[in-house]
Amino acid sequence: MEAQKIQEYVIEEPKKKQKAIGFAKGLSLTLFLAVLAGQIAHLPFFSILGIMILSILLGGIWGNTLSVPVEAHSGVQFSSKVLLRAGIILLGFRLNLQEIISAGFSIMMIDVVVIVFTMSLILLLGKVFRINKKLSALLAAGTAICGAAAIIAIAPIVKSKEEQTAVAVSCIAVLGTIGAILYIVLFPLLPISEQEYGVLAGATLHELAHVVAAGVPGGDVSSDSAILVKLGRVLLLIPVALIISFVYSRKNSGKSRNIGKLPIPWFIFGFLLTSLINTIFHIPGSIISIFLLLSTYLLAMGMAGLGLNIKWKDFVKVGFKPVAVAIAGFLGLLAITPLLLLLYKIF
């Protein structure tokens, strides 16, 4: 018996060590790409893109041209999920909740319009193009709410396949990146204020990291507005997930779902907590700067992880129609930006 335990220990220890080394490799790769992106971002032309957009671009190039070791995937996933959300939580130190309360109604009105319009449009386009209903739901949630976080939350509810989830996440990551780049380039040409620019970025871009990156050219005013609007969209993921769960429960032979098991973006409550701390307590500017620098690199590592997970073969596998639907949905959302600005000014 004792000999068997010793044998099991001898076998298990190398496996654990191997997993730890693989995890460290994946984490190190995303850190390397984030640091490289940070260095490139200091160059004249590339400074327009910013560290986060460069991180996802470098990740996409690396993932599709060089091989990522299988054992390193756990570290890459940790960056794209855990570190990305940790970076978002630390971003809360930029906001003062008193400003959120004062702008609350107009922001929430914009977010509701964005989500209802975009999800309805993409689901309708999905029917017209006859693409898989589950994939349509994932693309709709990712475009309307909060990118990969929404897709990951909705996927188990609609019981989508892994490749459908991968395609949806990849599609949203690419479109959000392109959208952020376009916003950064067009910002000087747009006849709107920094605050209005932030509202548009927060209301129309997919990932919170995309919103943060796009908000940079307008300074703190546009960045704070963009994050504020995006935060409202993320918070609305909870009721949207509940509604989708209810609809699918009725379709699936009346089977009920356990609401307690619904994936909820808990990281957003961390974001609110850090905002609350920043509102109540006077934190020295030097400490805030450290938090925000750490947040930037955590977000960059998360974006690099997302880029490494983008595989062009997944797009080929499902065909061009889902991509066309996602693009059309994003363009439709951009088309209603005058309405969104009008709502912002009225309320």
Side-chain angles (χ1 to χ4, degrees):
M1 190 68 179
E2 195 68 30
Q4 186 179 354
K5 286 184 178 179
I6 293 172
Q7 189 178 7
E8 287 176 357
Y9 175 80
V10 171
I11 294 171
E12 283 297 319
E13 277 303 299
K15 284 185 179 179
K16 288 180 180 178
K17 192 174 181 180
Q18 202 172 20
K19 284 183 180 179
I21 292 171
F23 178 84
K25 282 182 180 179
L27 205 61
S28 299
L29 177 57
T30 58
L31 177 60
F32 167 73
L33 292 173
V35 172
L36 179 60
Q39 294 302 310
I40 295 173
H42 288 104
L43 299 175
F45 172 76
F46 294 101
S47 61
I48 298 173
L49 303 181
I51 182 173
M52 280 166 278
I53 297 300
L54 286 168
S55 292
I56 196 170
L57 289 175
L58 288 174
I61 293 168
W62 186 292
N64 285 277
T65 57
L66 302 171
S67 62
V68 178
V70 176
E71 67 272 14
H73 287 170
S74 59
V76 172
Q77 290 297 321
F78 183 81
S79 291
S80 64
K81 293 180 180 178
V82 179
L83 294 188
L84 183 64
R85 283 146 183 75
I88 291 168
I89 289 171
L90 289 177
L91 269 180
F93 284 109
R94 292 192 61 170
L95 289 183
N96 188 306
L97 287 178
Q98 290 178 343
E99 297 174 2
I100 296 176
I101 293 169
S102 63
F105 185 74
S106 61
I107 296 302
M108 195 54 63
M109 177 72 72
I110 289 170
D111 289 333
V112 169
V113 170
V114 166
I115 290 174
V116 172
F117 171 80
T118 309
M119 290 201 70
S120 300
L121 176 62
I122 291 181
L123 290 173
L124 177 62
L125 289 171
K127 285 185 177 180
V128 172
F129 282 88
R130 295 181 181 179
I131 68 171
N132 185 278
K133 290 181 181 179
K134 295 176 181 180
L135 183 53
S136 290
L138 296 181
L139 292 172
T143 306
I145 309 172
C146 54
I151 292 168
I152 293 165
I154 300 300
I157 299 174
V158 300
K159 294 184 177 180
S160 63
K161 295 178 181 178
E162 285 187 10
E163 59 265 29
Q164 291 171 336
T165 304
V167 166
V169 169
S170 299
C171 198
I172 294 307
V174 171
L175 283 178
T177 301
I178 293 171
I181 293 171
L182 286 175
Y183 271 46
I184 291 168
V185 173
L186 293 175
F187 169 67
L189 307 175
L190 296 174
I192 55 178
S193 67
E194 287 85 355
Q195 194 165 24
E196 290 172 336
Y197 169 75
V199 169
L200 290 185
T204 56
L205 290 176
H206 304 70
E207 296 281 350
L208 184 50
H210 292 148
V211 171
V212 172
V216 170
D220 289 344
V221 174
S222 68
S223 292
D224 291 348
S225 298
I227 294 169
L228 183 62
V229 176
K230 187 61 175 177
L231 174 62
R233 289 168 69 191
V234 176
L235 287 175
L236 288 172
L237 172 59
I238 299 172
V240 171
L242 292 173
I243 292 169
I244 292 175
S245 178
F246 176 74
V247 171
Y248 272 81
S249 293
R250 292 189 65 182
K251 285 183 177 180
N252 293 319
S253 305
K255 293 178 183 178
S256 60
R257 291 185 185 271
N258 187 348
I259 292 176
K261 291 182 179 179
L262 281 178
I264 295 174
W266 296 110
F267 67 90
I268 209 62
F269 296 107
F271 181 97
L272 289 173
L273 178 61
T274 52
S275 299
L276 184 63
I277 292 171
N278 190 42
T279 303
I280 297 173
F281 302 101
H282 176 70
I283 303 174
S286 58
I287 301 297
I288 294 293
S289 297
I290 292 171
F291 283 144
L292 294 181
L293 180 64
L294 179 59
S295 170
T296 297
Y297 276 92
L298 288 175
L299 284 168
M301 288 176 70
M303 293 295 275
L306 286 175
L308 288 167
N309 286 322
I310 297 173
K311 302 298 179 187
W312 307 128
K313 64 180 182 181
D314 291 330
F315 288 92
V316 176
K317 190 174 180 180
V318 299
F320 180 71
K321 286 184 179 180
V323 180
V325 167
I327 293 172
F330 183 39
L331 292 176
L333 179 55
L334 293 178
I336 66 165
T337 52
L339 172 62
L340 299 180
L341 281 180
L342 181 62
L343 289 173
Y344 181 71
K345 289 176 182 178
I346 292 175
F347 296 103

